[in-house]
Amino acid sequence: MQVTTYSSLEVFDWSIWYYHFPVDEITTNKFKADGNNRVICVVNDSITLHSALMPLGTGSYIMVNKKTRESLALVEGDKVKLELTKDNSEYGVPMPESLAVMLDQDEVGSKYFHELTPGKQRSLIYVVSKVKSIEKQISKALAIVDHLKDVQGKLDYKLLQQKIKEYNNR
């Protein structure tokens, strides 16, 4: 399913996550009917976001980060075209090959990773995919798998950051 809709960049009065694109009730209901709120959103035919439709009144919203706003030169009130497609992928975001290989090679690490909530899985995927260098992706993937085994799947972000620093210094 793909839906084209129009929105504008709006701002919440919250201390975090204040830039967003509101999505109308009809479009929201089409995508949330099966309980999966993950979508792939193409903004103005140029930037692809893997997002969640977050509840907002009878509709929803898609969060917009600074990088996306700057790439599109958007300011509050700017109108945008949104092409929304249901995201039926396993994780709701693209899995970097480096992390996929580590999980394929480490049965225990993979078990702990797949026992995490989908949101925590996406967070870890993001940690790896946000760096461009393959070497650094591999290092982060190794650190994540090692950390999950150290803590028996009980993710601790502070300890994870220490583990990543440890791997970066090797």
Side-chain angles (χ1 to χ4, degrees), residues 27-45:
T27 303
T28 298
N29 290 339
K30 286 179 184 176
F31 283 97
K32 291 183 125 184
D34 66 355
N36 175 5
N37 67 344
R38 302 295 305 174
V39 294
I40 298 170
C41 174
V42 179
V43 184
N44 289 344
D45 299 317

Side-chain angles (χ1 to χ4, degrees), residues 5-7 10 12 14 20-33 37 39 52-63 82 84:
T5 189
Y6 295 87
S7 188
E10 294 188 9
F12 288 124
W14 301 345
H20 65 282
F21 299 128
V23 177
D24 64 83
E25 179 180 8
I26 293 169
T27 303
T28 298
N29 290 339
K30 286 179 184 176
F31 283 97
K32 291 183 125 184
N37 67 344
V39 294
L53 293 175
M54 304 299 292
L56 178 65
T58 57
S60 60
Y61 68 94
I62 295 171
M63 295 184 287
L82 304 177
L84 303 174

Side-chain angles (χ1 to χ4, degrees), residues 84-135:
L84 303 174
T85 307
K86 191 73 166 167
D87 187 346
N88 293 314
S89 65
E90 184 174 1
Y91 302 106
V93 292
M95 170 65 88
E97 185 178 351
S98 54
L99 182 57
V101 168
M102 294 302 154
L103 295 173
D104 285 346
Q105 293 178 357
D106 192 313
E107 190 175 316
V108 175
S110 179
K111 172 187 168 295
Y112 287 136
F113 178 84
H114 289 97
E115 288 174 350
L116 295 171
T117 64
K120 288 180 181 176
Q121 290 174 354
R122 281 190 295 276
S123 292
L124 295 177
I125 291 169
Y126 176 74
V127 166
V128 174
S129 64
K130 74 178 180 178
V131 294
K132 300 299 176 207
S133 160
I134 295 299
E135 289 174 5

Side-chain angles (χ1 to χ4, degrees), residues 130-149:
K130 74 178 180 178
V131 294
K132 300 299 176 207
S133 160
I134 295 299
E135 289 174 5
K136 289 187 180 198
Q137 282 189 4
I138 291 169
S139 178
K140 284 190 179 208
L142 283 167
I144 287 169
V145 172
D146 196 23
H147 171 72
L148 289 173
K149 292 189 304 186

